[in-house]
Amino acid sequence: MRGRLLPSLNAIRTFEAVARHNSFTRAAEELNVTQSAASRLVRSLEEYLQVSLFTRQSRRIELTDQGRFYNALLRDALDLIEAGTVELISSKAGKGTLSIGMLPTFGTRWLLPRLPAFQEQHPEIALNIVSSDGELDFTKERIDVAIRFGHGNWTDAIVDPLMSEEIQVVCSPRLMNGEHPITSYESLRHHRLIRHSTRPHSWEHWFRSVGVHPEDLQWGPSLEHFFMIIQGAVAGLGVALLPTFLIEEDIRNGNLITPFTDRIAGPGAYYLVTSAAKSELPRVKIFRSWLLGQLA
């Protein structure tokens, strides 16, 4: 079996340092070698690759096109090696930092209020929580687990269903007490309907589910996150369609009113998505077990 086609790892490390500092002198200081040794290692790498990685003019150096290409690849590769090294060093007995990619509104309204209990039970685990609702990439986002809405079809991951959602129509008391109170589906045509930009067909799904085909609807602003839609509805920006579990407090305190009793199942569910590569790390197993236990 053929071995890997790799140049000297020491030469690679030296080249990346020189490219990062744009200086042989500063790279040599970082690596604790002489400037001539750093220069020789880069030369050996160029000879191995049979390409010039730098142009050298007097005391100035500059990456060639091939050098920029190779440096970008090596920087990402070394970042991954460094992250993995830190990962293993910090993961003894479940310690270390657990990075969670969190849907902004779900995290704020559902997960964050529960996390103090997790921290009390597991003070040895530090938490790093980032907003994450785009295409899921554990490596790029540097996260261990994520909470996502969808249909459970993520690859290279362990997928645990958390909950489905019911959606309902809400508005501010000001709209309800205004010139056109919402007393029927027909009365919705007098108001702007706020849309969720990542779920553009939610209103159509709701109308189909309740068997209504209204005409002359006014579309209001399209907002990216549920917390924006909630605030927009509270402010009277328009009528909103929102998951019930996200707005229970706003309904209780009178910030929002539900003009209809209809609650319709949303076209998806919330999932805990765990990186398959990190699923056996103690802190990841601890968090996954704890979070699923919250649903019992």
Side-chain angles (χ1 to χ4, degrees):
M1 180 180 293
R2 182 179 65 84
R4 290 186 180 275
L5 183 63
L6 289 174
S8 160
L9 295 180
N10 200 22
I12 286 175
R13 183 165 171 251
T14 303
F15 164 70
E16 189 275 337
V18 173
R20 177 159 35 85
H21 290 292
N22 198 34
S23 165
F24 279 98
T25 300
R26 290 199 295 273
E29 290 173 354
E30 175 187 312
L31 300 173
N32 197 28
V33 298
T34 64
Q35 181 179 342
S36 60
S39 180
R40 283 197 304 273
L41 283 165
V42 173
R43 285 285 189 193
S44 70
L45 181 60
E46 290 176 315
E47 291 171 3
Y48 181 87
L49 299 171
Q50 297 184 2
V51 298
S52 294
L53 299 172
F54 292 101
T55 58
R56 298 163 174 83
Q57 297 178 352
S58 184
R59 295 188 177 184
R60 292 181 54 220
I61 60 171
E62 186 176 334
L63 285 167
T64 63
D65 289 342
Q66 294 97 328
R68 279 190 288 273
F69 166 78
Y70 201 46
N71 180 52
L73 293 178
L74 293 182
R75 184 178 59 242
D76 289 345
L78 291 173
D79 282 349
L80 283 174
I81 293 171
E82 182 180 28
T85 302
V86 172
E87 180 91 47
L88 290 178
I89 292 173
S90 65
S91 65
K92 297 176 182 177
K95 295 181 180 179
T97 299
L98 177 77
S99 293
I100 306 170
M102 188 171 68
L103 293 171
T105 312
F106 181 94
T108 302
R109 300 261 171 151
W110 191 88
L111 182 60
L112 284 180
R114 291 167 168 78
L115 285 181
F118 176 79
Q119 289 281 243
E120 287 180 11
Q121 294 176 36
H122 302 285
E124 75 281 4
I125 299 177
L127 295 177
N128 176 47
I129 300 173
V130 298
S131 175
S132 173
D133 60 358
E135 183 179 351
L136 183 56
D137 188 321
F138 291 105
T139 302
K140 281 186 178 179
E141 297 185 74
R142 296 191 176 185
I143 55 177
D144 305 314
V145 300
I147 293 176
R148 283 290 197 273
F149 184 86
H151 301 282
N153 52 349
W154 291 275
T155 58
D156 299 323
I158 297 172
V159 180
D160 296 296
L162 295 178
M163 66 179 73
S164 56
E165 68 177 15
E166 290 182 330
I167 52 178
Q168 64 185 124
V169 175
V170 295
C171 67
S172 70
R174 186 171 70 179
L175 288 187
M176 183 61 79
N177 298 328
E179 184 180 355
H180 299 288
I182 304 172
T183 56
S184 66
Y185 300 129
E186 178 65 20
S187 59
L188 286 173
R189 66 187 179 87
H190 298 293
H191 302 277
R192 291 184 177 86
L193 305 185
I194 302 173
R195 292 175 292 179
H196 194 309
S197 61
T198 62
R199 301 193 196 181
H201 304 296
S202 293
W203 275 106
E204 287 84 349
H205 171 77
W206 188 80
F207 284 128
R208 283 196 307 271
S209 298
V210 297
V212 175
H213 304 282
E215 298 180 357
D216 302 322
L217 293 175
Q218 298 185 63
W219 293 113
S222 181
L223 304 178
E224 185 177 4
H225 299 296
F226 274 134
F227 69 83
M228 296 178 178
I229 297 174
I230 293 170
Q231 290 305 115
V234 169
L237 191 60
V239 180
L241 188 63
L242 289 162
T244 301
F245 79 95
L246 293 179
I247 51 174
E248 290 172 337
E249 184 176 347
D250 290 291
I251 293 172
R252 279 196 302 270
N253 63 28
N255 287 335
L256 291 173
I257 291 174
T258 56
F260 310 121
T261 59
D262 304 277
R263 294 185 179 185
I264 304 303
Y270 293 91
Y271 293 87
L272 173 65
V273 190
T274 303
S275 166
K278 297 184 177 182
S279 62
E280 292 303 312
L281 289 175
R283 67 175 184 275
V284 174
K285 293 172 72 174
I286 289 169
F287 179 76
R288 180 175 173 233
S289 175
W290 173 84
L291 184 61
L292 297 180
Q294 293 296 297
L295 306 174

